[in-house]
Amino acid sequence: MIDLRSDTVTKPTEAMRKAMANAEVGDDVYGDDPTINELEKLGAGLTGKEAAIFVPSGTFGNQLALFTWCKRGSEVVLGEECHIIQHEAGAASVIAGVQTRTIPASDGVLRPQALRQRLRKAELHFPATSLICLENAHSLGRVVSLADMDAVRAVADEWRLPVHLDGARLFNAAAALHVPAREIAARADSVMFCLSKGLCAPVGSLLAGSRDFVDAARYKRKIMGGGMRQAGILAAAGIIALQEQAGFLAEDHERAKYLARELAAIPEIVINPEEVDINMVFFSFSPARDAVVAKSITDFFAKRNIIINAPEQGVFRFVTHYQIGDGEVDAILKVSREVFV
Ligand SMILES: Cc1ncc(COP(=O)(O)O)c(C=O)c1O
């Protein structure tokens, strides 16, 4: 099967499975798991932060960041299309107990003027802003430039506010910008990144920041039930994700760009290949706004062993990853040329 739904579908590599089987473990809630300790140290080093903490998922890591930074009832400012707003089931209101204030950012970029208009200090009628969140790479498939991140950092510094970076795909952003991950992370006070997206680890994310922030997050992780005991078995795969798999992300990006250019040659497809920054290809095919047509397209792919997500309002998203090579891309294009007519 060729699975184009997401890079979360990647499966652990053989090297990961061996490392998992042989991992040295201990009780991580006591700080005794040497493999988790090694992963946390590695993650902190790669992001240039003092410390990092292992968490079960990207959502957990983002919500733990909000829970650690923000007072209940305060306000978090972030982009309208970001994952925390769109795909975390309203968790910010449940866990951290914060109000979110969004900024239109169709390309994932928070513009200083729009940001300044939304920041506020506590007053009789106003909650105080407690945090600004960025996302890079953005789940819209876009990468935010270092200059755009600097502009947000400058506003945050004016207001003495912390910045949290949802870097679920931090290493995709690093590959796309041709910089080490720590250069991107340097623009934020905390950064969450995932080991289980295109990096093939089965489970896990890291939240990195200053030593004090991570100590506070460790306490809040306990509240959230995220202390995972002998989870070194999972961390062992995470170490390989960072050391071996991150280097392949640029190939996923190249395949996505190729796929986009070839899809652009199909007259009924609307796509701008210039907007493909990472491993995500978004395109629209307007007849698929109709639910019956949409279903017939997903079925057509499924019958040819290709799994795709149903389109949203005629917009499809194809995601390349470690388990999609050149042969798979050719197969996807062949079926696309037959069905998008
Ligand atoms: C940008 C972004 N942030 C956070 C997450 C959440 O990660 P998880 O699915 O591990 O909770 C995702 C998941 O796809 C994501 O794309």
Side-chain angles (χ1 to χ4, degrees):
M1 290 302 263
I2 299 172
D3 196 337
L4 279 173
R5 288 171 299 172
S6 175
D7 47 9
T8 56
V9 302
T10 49
K11 297 196 177 135
T13 63
E14 274 313 304
M16 285 179 178
R17 289 172 190 271
K18 275 200 195 111
M20 292 170 80
N22 297 319
E24 248 191 86
V25 296
D27 188 332
D28 180 51
V29 175
Y30 287 109
D32 284 351
D33 191 305
T35 314
I36 292 192
N37 293 342
E38 185 187 336
L39 173 66
E40 290 179 345
K41 201 166 157 210
L42 177 62
L46 289 169
T47 50
K49 301 293 181 204
E50 287 173 2
I53 180 168
F54 187 51
V55 293
S57 68
T59 301
F60 197 114
N62 279 336
Q63 296 302 329
L64 179 59
L66 268 56
F67 194 25
T68 306
W69 283 121
C70 307
K71 252 172 60 180
R72 290 185 88 72
S74 65
E75 195 163 64
V76 175
V77 175
L78 65 191
E80 192 168 78
E81 302 298 336
C82 77
H83 197 273
I84 293 173
I85 289 294
Q86 295 293 341
H87 296 290
E88 299 191 6
S93 61
V94 178
I95 299 169
V98 291
Q99 171 160 296
T100 52
R101 190 144 197 233
T102 56
I103 300 183
S106 59
D107 53 0
V109 176
L110 302 193
R111 299 205 154 67
Q113 198 193 351
L115 191 54
R116 280 202 185 88
Q117 279 167 358
R118 283 162 181 84
L119 301 180
R120 42 193 183 168
K121 307 242 187 255
E123 199 250 56
L124 182 59
H125 300 91
F126 300 159
T129 308
S130 52
L131 181 68
I132 298 170
C133 292
L134 288 174
E135 188 171 311
N136 207 8
H138 202 284
S139 40
L140 294 165
R142 305 306 305 274
V143 167
V144 179
S145 72
L146 294 180
D148 283 328
M149 291 187 78
D150 281 339
V152 172
R153 178 77 261 175
V155 177
D157 289 347
E158 270 167 39
W159 280 72
R160 294 175 193 273
L161 287 169
V163 175
H164 170 67
L165 172 62
D166 175 348
R169 294 183 182 79
L170 177 68
F171 294 93
N172 294 82
L177 292 172
H178 306 288
V179 297
R182 69 170 65 80
E183 278 214 34
I184 302 171
R187 272 85 183 163
D189 300 283
S190 61
V191 54
M192 182 285 291
F193 58 96
C194 294
L195 307 164
S196 62
K197 305 268 174 307
L199 298 181
C200 297
V203 177
S205 298
L206 285 160
L207 176 63
S210 69
R211 167 72 52 202
D212 284 352
F213 171 80
V214 170
D215 286 348
R218 206 169 285 281
Y219 178 74
K220 296 278 172 111
R221 184 185 73 172
K222 189 74 182 129
I223 295 177
M224 289 168 70
M228 292 188 290
R229 310 294 178 187
Q230 288 76 23
I233 289 181
L234 302 172
I239 291 169
I240 292 176
L242 295 174
Q243 289 179 334
E244 294 181 13
Q245 295 302 123
F248 291 107
L249 295 175
E251 293 180 22
D252 299 342
H253 299 180
E254 285 315 307
R255 289 196 181 94
K257 287 176 188 187
Y258 172 72
L259 187 58
R261 286 194 299 273
E262 294 295 311
L263 288 172
I266 301 175
E268 288 70 20
I269 283 183
V270 177
I271 183 171
N272 181 356
E274 298 298 310
E275 288 181 357
V276 177
D277 289 338
I278 54 167
N279 59 340
M280 296 181 177
V281 181
F282 288 86
F283 61 93
S284 53
F285 176 69
S286 50
R289 283 174 175 274
D290 180 291
V292 177
V293 176
K295 170 103 178 57
S296 75
I297 292 171
T298 52
D299 287 351
F300 192 89
F301 274 99
K303 284 201 187 99
R304 286 147 188 86
N305 293 331
I306 299 174
I307 315 177
I308 62 169
N309 279 326
E312 282 179 29
Q313 295 179 345
V315 177
F316 288 84
R317 186 187 77 164
F318 286 0
V319 185
T320 58
H321 51 73
Y322 189 62
Q323 267 108 27
I324 295 188
D326 293 339
E328 283 75 15
V329 171
D330 288 340
I332 295 157
L333 284 169
K334 181 171 178 294
V335 178
S336 300
R337 290 180 190 118
E338 289 166 30
V339 76
F340 293 116
V341 286

